[in-house]
Amino acid sequence: MKIKARLLIGAGISISLVLLFSLMVYVSFNEVAEENERELTAHEIHKTVSELDIIMYEYLTYREERMLQQWNSKYDSTAEIIEKAPEGEWKVIKLNYDDLKELFSKITANYEKEDNSELEERLVAEFLIKSHAIISDSSTIAEEAYNNAILAQKTANNSMVITFIILVVALMGVSLYTARRITEPLYKLAKGTKIIGKGDLKHVIDIKSRDEIGELASAFNQMTNDLKELDILKTQFLTTTSHELKTPITPIIIQSQMLLEGSLGHLTKKQKKSADIILRNMEHLNKLISDILDISKIQSARLKLVSSKAQIGVCIKETIENMKPAANQKKIIFITKIAALPKITFDKGRIEQVLTNLINNAIKFTPEKGKIMIESAKQGDSIIVKVKDIGMGIKKENLNKIFKPFAQVAPSYAINQKGTGLGLAICKGIIGKHGGKIWAESTFGKGSTFSFTLPIKRR
Amino acid sequence: MAKKILIVDDEKDILESMEMLIKNIGYEVKTANNGKQALAMLKKESFDLVLLDILMPQMSGRELLEKIRADPKLKKQKVAFLSVVCLSESGKDVMKRLKPIDYFQKPIDVADFKKRLKGILK
């Protein structure tokens, strides 16, 4: 079922329950108000009738006209309240109350007659019976109303508690559901996206739910698959193209090297310069093609290593030997500090490529008659190799940039030293593939140190 | 007597350049521009080394080397690959199964090539 539908159903049920119990609270409070009103009316009647009793006796004792008026006004004010009260339980009280007026009129009328005491006694007795009946009835009603009010109040309280509980449960439910069904899969999706973003197109996002997120994951996997096919095409294209490009470069390089060697006869200075330009640019073109091919392999996680167990020290010494002609041109000397190290498994050709790159950069950025230090040592579970130069150094903000493809942050004096801008990115890819790390440290103006590690035991 | 090398490549310019270069070092050189021709030549005369291109139409260098290794008279023939394809792309099995004596990547560096060639033919 869709997440939207589930959430809507959940919300619908919660809202209905909340509404139902809110309605109960409302009804109960209304009832409390009604019962309070009823109790108040009953008390009022009780009080009035008691007073009417007293005023009647006062009148009988003092026979003052003032008391008649007092009695009537008291009677009328409460008569209004009784008139407003609904029929039913108030009916008997109403009838008795009407009778009170009649009886009181008779009592006052009788007073003017002679020899009245017997009748008066009877009327007063009747009056008292009626008034006490009213008092009794109103007390009963008041008591009942009071009890009802308490009950209604309890219902209202309970309903409020239940409403609150429903709200809390609904909220918790929504939170848990969101966490389990939405947040977790989204987190998985985000993680998968990052992995795929890094170039691993074989990664499949494992979300099989039949909701929106499931659909998204499935669309994502489809897209990754399409990308994978495109990536294979791209790699095939790049591989074929670079092979095709390297084929004509091969005889050009052989011929110009033979020319420069003098194998084809003596060259004049101008001819030598011409052959040298051809050779240099061909070699640059060749390097460029190789680097583009390498970086495309690294970026599509397709770089393969041809590893064997060997001494890294031997590899470093050989590379330095190969770099000496280039260093000699700038009268740069190498200072090496290579410790006796255990044999490790690595791709000799690729590590030589990394070393050549780092040493080449060091030569590029070291002033004439400078020196380059190359060290290797054991460091924990790894072997660390450092290439230090005393060149211009790298600004702190550029230290991370330099390992990204096509990032050249060369100082102006080295700008005519052509590079492909891919060297360090390739180094990072090669070292990463070996399970090691590569980084640069530098004090701007004082030189840089490029270090990489290779694990002694490869996982 | 000078050592004799057979170069097999479908690219005429590469074939000619390699021939010039190797002759210049002082070795005797013969060339073939496809696998079939090379196989016929190998059966007729003996060579100290075969320099073999990999990407060739009809018969690839790998196929040719498999035929050489399958032939009882030729199976110990020294063969080195000379290809634009780098070693990691060719696969480890090629080195293990077909046992080429070396693997040169095109474009070669002349100085390095000379050094390694002399080592092989010592």
Side-chain angles (χ1 to χ4, degrees):
Chain A
M1 203 196 278
K2 301 255 174 172
I3 293 172
K4 195 178 157 190
R6 282 172 204 238
L7 283 176
L8 279 178
I9 290 171
I13 292 171
S14 309
I15 289 170
S16 312
L17 283 171
V18 167
L19 276 179
L20 183 72
F21 282 93
S22 302
L23 194 72
M24 275 176 73
V25 173
Y26 176 75
V27 169
S28 304
F29 272 128
N30 249 359
E31 206 182 324
V32 171
E34 269 172 27
E35 295 297 336
N36 282 343
E37 183 84 359
R38 208 169 134 219
E39 197 190 339
L40 216 69
T41 309
H43 277 306
E44 186 66 36
I45 293 166
H46 186 289
K47 203 176 129 206
T48 306
V49 173
S50 304
E51 278 171 9
L52 287 177
D53 273 7
I54 294 167
I55 299 168
M56 183 199 70
Y57 274 113
E58 276 178 347
Y59 178 75
L60 286 177
T61 314
Y62 302 110
R63 306 285 174 177
E64 282 176 24
E65 194 65 17
R66 182 175 54 86
M67 285 150 189
L68 266 178
Q69 283 163 10
Q70 208 183 339
W71 197 94
N72 280 324
S73 86
K74 195 91 215 165
Y75 182 91
D76 291 341
S77 71
T78 307
E80 270 173 39
I81 297 171
I82 291 176
E83 211 49 54
K84 272 182 211 157
E87 291 285 307
E89 61 179 353
W90 301 98
K91 201 176 174 184
V92 180
I93 292 177
K94 265 186 196 173
L95 289 173
N96 284 340
Y97 199 71
D98 289 345
D99 289 349
L100 279 189
K101 176 106 186 176
E102 210 185 309
L103 282 167
F104 190 66
S105 310
K106 280 182 184 165
I107 290 169
T108 47
N110 182 57
Y111 172 69
E112 279 140 34
K113 287 179 189 165
E114 298 282 320
D115 194 20
N116 53 10
S117 61
E118 201 179 318
L119 183 62
E120 192 184 277
E121 255 173 52
R122 197 174 54 85
L123 285 172
V124 167
E126 240 177 272
F127 185 94
L128 286 180
I129 288 167
K130 296 279 175 194
S131 74
H132 282 222
I134 294 169
I135 287 169
S136 168
D137 283 349
S138 57
S139 289
T140 309
I141 290 172
E143 203 179 324
E144 197 189 298
Y146 175 76
N147 285 337
N148 285 350
I150 284 176
L151 261 177
Q153 184 68 51
K154 269 187 189 164
T155 313
N157 287 350
N158 287 343
S159 301
M160 275 202 290
V161 170
I162 290 171
T163 310
F164 182 71
I165 289 171
I166 292 169
L167 275 174
V168 169
V169 168
L171 232 116
M172 267 168 55
V174 167
S175 310
L176 279 175
Y177 181 82
T178 312
R180 214 166 58 87
R181 282 306 190 92
I182 301 171
T183 316
E184 265 177 42
L186 278 182
Y187 177 70
K188 240 185 192 178
L189 203 62
K191 216 169 115 189
T193 315
K194 270 183 205 157
I195 294 171
I196 292 159
K198 276 184 186 159
D200 181 7
L201 296 177
K202 279 177 207 142
H203 186 81
V204 175
I205 294 169
D206 180 30
I207 300 171
K208 291 196 181 75
S209 58
R210 262 181 275 167
D211 51 28
E212 289 93 331
I213 292 174
E215 272 174 35
L216 183 61
S218 148
F220 207 89
N221 285 335
Q222 182 59 45
M223 182 192 76
T224 314
N225 202 43
D226 293 349
L227 275 177
K228 200 165 79 190
E229 278 167 24
L230 271 176
D231 192 60
I232 291 169
L233 269 177
K234 185 193 83 179
T235 309
Q236 277 174 351
F237 171 77
L238 262 168
T239 312
T240 315
T241 312
S242 56
H243 291 161
E244 290 300 321
L245 284 170
K246 281 190 171 200
T247 300
I249 291 176
T250 304
I252 300 176
I253 287 182
I254 295 172
Q255 294 297 347
S256 44
Q257 280 188 342
M258 279 167 67
L259 275 173
L260 281 166
E261 272 180 355
S263 311
L264 309 175
H266 182 73
L267 297 190
T268 63
K269 258 191 180 170
K270 278 183 183 171
Q271 287 167 337
K272 228 176 187 168
K273 196 180 173 192
S274 163
D276 190 50
I277 290 171
I278 295 171
L279 179 62
R280 246 190 307 117
N281 283 281
M282 273 301 137
E283 278 171 348
H284 182 70
L285 182 60
N286 181 41
K287 176 97 173 62
L288 199 58
I289 295 165
S290 302
D291 280 2
I292 288 170
L293 194 60
D294 280 349
I295 203 77
S296 92
K297 280 183 200 161
I298 287 164
Q299 285 184 337
S300 60
R302 243 174 241 283
L303 183 74
K304 284 181 200 149
L305 298 179
V306 185
S307 298
S308 56
K309 218 165 182 176
Q311 288 273 7
I312 183 90
V314 175
C315 183
I316 297 171
K317 279 174 196 159
E318 276 178 17
T319 313
I320 291 172
E321 214 48 52
N322 290 336
M323 301 303 290
K324 273 188 177 158
N328 286 342
Q329 281 187 354
K330 285 176 82 176
K331 298 193 177 73
I332 291 168
I333 52 161
F334 292 116
I335 300 169
T336 55
K337 212 162 96 185
I338 297 161
L341 296 166
K343 277 189 174 182
I344 56 168
T345 306
F346 63 100
D347 184 330
K348 195 166 164 278
R350 288 297 188 185
I351 295 300
E352 266 178 20
Q353 189 183 348
V354 172
L355 283 164
T356 305
N357 220 303
L358 296 183
I359 296 171
N360 221 347
N361 280 344
I363 293 173
K364 235 193 256 182
F365 300 121
T366 299
E368 293 221 348
K369 292 177 188 167
K371 54 189 175 179
I372 294 168
M373 271 116 353
I374 298 151
E375 297 174 11
S376 75
K378 190 167 173 259
Q379 193 185 64
D381 299 335
S382 306
I383 282 170
I384 184 165
V385 180
K386 289 182 180 181
V387 178
K388 281 187 203 173
D389 68 58
I390 49 158
M392 285 282 286
I394 304 155
K395 281 183 184 157
K396 213 172 181 181
E397 64 264 30
N398 287 332
L399 275 178
N400 280 325
K401 269 189 225 164
I402 52 173
F403 289 101
K404 289 186 175 135
F406 299 110
Q408 278 178 314
V409 287
S412 56
Y413 72 86
I415 220 91
N416 42 9
Q417 305 270 3
K418 264 189 256 172
T420 61
L422 292 169
L424 287 174
I426 292 169
C427 290
K428 194 181 175 188
I430 292 170
I431 298 298
K433 186 78 184 172
H434 279 84
K437 275 183 192 158
I438 185 165
W439 69 95
E441 292 153 292
S442 181
T443 313
F444 188 62
K446 284 191 176 168
S448 321
T449 303
F450 282 81
S451 314
F452 67 84
T453 60
L454 291 172
I456 291 170
K457 272 188 187 149
R458 224 160 93 196
R459 259 172 270 151
Chain B
M1 209 179 94
K3 303 266 181 177
K4 202 159 74 178
I5 298 172
L6 174 66
I7 312 168
V8 191
D9 203 310
D10 60 317
E11 285 290 329
K12 192 169 151 277
D13 285 347
I14 293 180
L15 211 54
E16 271 181 25
S17 298
M18 290 304 293
E19 188 182 3
M20 280 169 78
L21 177 68
I22 296 168
K23 273 188 177 159
N24 210 279
I25 304 170
Y27 299 121
E28 198 181 314
V29 178
K30 291 212 166 167
T31 61
N33 60 16
N34 61 61
K36 213 175 151 190
Q37 191 192 349
L39 204 60
M41 286 169 81
L42 279 165
K43 280 177 182 167
K44 246 192 262 169
E45 52 186 314
S46 71
F47 290 91
D48 296 289
L49 177 69
V50 179
L51 274 176
L52 190 53
D53 184 23
I54 292 181
L55 300 176
M56 289 188 291
Q58 281 131 32
M59 194 193 291
S60 75
R62 198 186 301 200
E63 283 167 336
L64 176 57
L65 187 49
E66 265 170 35
K67 284 202 163 75
I68 291 170
R69 292 286 178 248
D71 189 311
K73 278 184 197 160
L74 294 173
K75 69 178 176 190
K76 287 193 175 163
Q77 172 68 51
K78 273 186 193 170
V79 178
F81 278 125
L82 174 66
S83 174
V84 285
V85 181
C86 75
L87 188 54
S88 67
E89 287 167 335
S90 303
K92 278 182 199 168
D93 67 303
V94 174
M95 295 301 281
K96 268 189 189 161
R97 203 159 42 85
L98 299 173
K99 294 188 172 55
I101 194 159
D102 207 340
Y103 195 108
F104 296 102
Q105 173 136 27
K106 286 187 218 169
I108 52 160
D109 176 73
V110 168
D112 174 67
F113 176 76
K114 280 182 181 172
K115 209 170 88 186
R116 277 156 71 186
L117 193 66
K118 277 176 186 161
I120 295 167
L121 294 172
K122 200 164 50 183

